[in-house]
Amino acid sequence: MKKWLSLVLAILAVLTLCSCDLISSISQLANSSTAQSKEQTSTLDESEPVKEELVKYDSYQAILDEYTVKLQDSTPILIGEYESEASNNNDGLEGLATICNAKVTKLAEISNEGVSEMAEYYYKNGSGSYEEYSEWAGKLMDVYMEEAGKIQNAYMESVK
């Protein structure tokens, strides 16, 4: 029972982190985009040509592809780190859960970075449809959840 409670708490902590970072990323991008527009408008000199910002990605799919690879490549490394740290754990089940949460959090950071890139793309190049952005961000979150599950499976195997 303690194993399942720890797992549920770990999942809730990760989901809370992800949703907070997603909302924060969208808000920050909206605020910075508005501030940049106002700044550019107030400082625009008629004699200077307007420079286009370099676009890092050309589609949501490109962002999804890149961050899917990052998540999938990081997962075996994080599992290896978990297993190494778990073998030196002296804090019992709680210590293992803490180690697992730390590894899942690292994966969440990668996912959040990808979602932030999608939010930036949405504000600068997207079709203007929040639903489109949300759909693509959800696809990346699905990849994250699948990969996080692999780390959590390593945790479950270690507590047997």
Side-chain angles (χ1 to χ4, degrees):
M1 186 65 178
K2 287 183 181 179
K3 293 178 189 178
W4 288 108
L5 180 60
S6 294
L7 179 62
V8 168
L9 290 174
I11 291 171
L12 287 174
V14 170
L15 290 175
T16 301
L17 174 68
C18 291
S19 64
C20 289
D21 282 349
L22 174 62
I23 292 167
S24 175
S25 295
I26 292 171
S27 296
Q28 287 174 350
L29 282 171
N31 291 338
S32 69
S33 178
T34 303
Q36 283 178 342
S37 293
K38 288 179 182 177
E39 184 179 308
Q40 287 175 348
T41 303
S42 64
T43 60
L44 187 60
D45 182 359
E46 296 296 326
S47 63
E48 291 181 23
V50 177
K51 294 181 183 178
E52 292 291 322
E53 288 186 37
L54 294 177
V55 178
K56 196 171 183 181
Y57 298 99
D58 62 354
S59 67
Y60 288 112
Q61 184 67 55
I63 300 168
L64 177 63
D65 291 346
E66 181 174 327
Y67 281 90
T68 295
V69 169
K70 285 183 179 184
L71 289 166
Q72 290 172 340
D73 288 350
S74 297
T75 300
I77 295 167
L78 292 169
I79 290 172
E81 289 176 7
Y82 170 80
E83 291 170 345
S84 175
E85 292 175 32
S87 67
N88 298 322
N89 175 47
N90 294 322
D91 296 327
L93 189 59
E94 187 176 322
L96 292 174
T98 300
I99 296 167
C100 178
N101 285 342
K103 302 310 168 191
V104 171
T105 298
K106 286 183 179 181
L107 208 60
E109 290 169 358
I110 296 168
S111 177
N112 289 336
E113 183 181 307
V115 170
S116 293
E117 289 291 344
M118 287 182 177
E120 185 174 336
Y121 182 82
Y122 166 68
Y123 281 111
K124 293 183 179 176
N125 308 311
S127 67
S129 165
Y130 178 79
E131 289 75 24
E132 179 183 29
Y133 155 76
S134 182
E135 178 184 336
W136 284 100
K139 289 178 183 181
L140 184 57
M141 291 302 294
D142 290 344
V143 173
Y144 158 75
M145 291 301 291
E146 182 177 331
E147 297 304 309
K150 293 175 184 177
I151 296 172
Q152 291 163 345
N153 287 341
Y155 164 75
M156 294 303 291
E157 288 296 316
S158 69
V159 297
K160 283 185 178 180

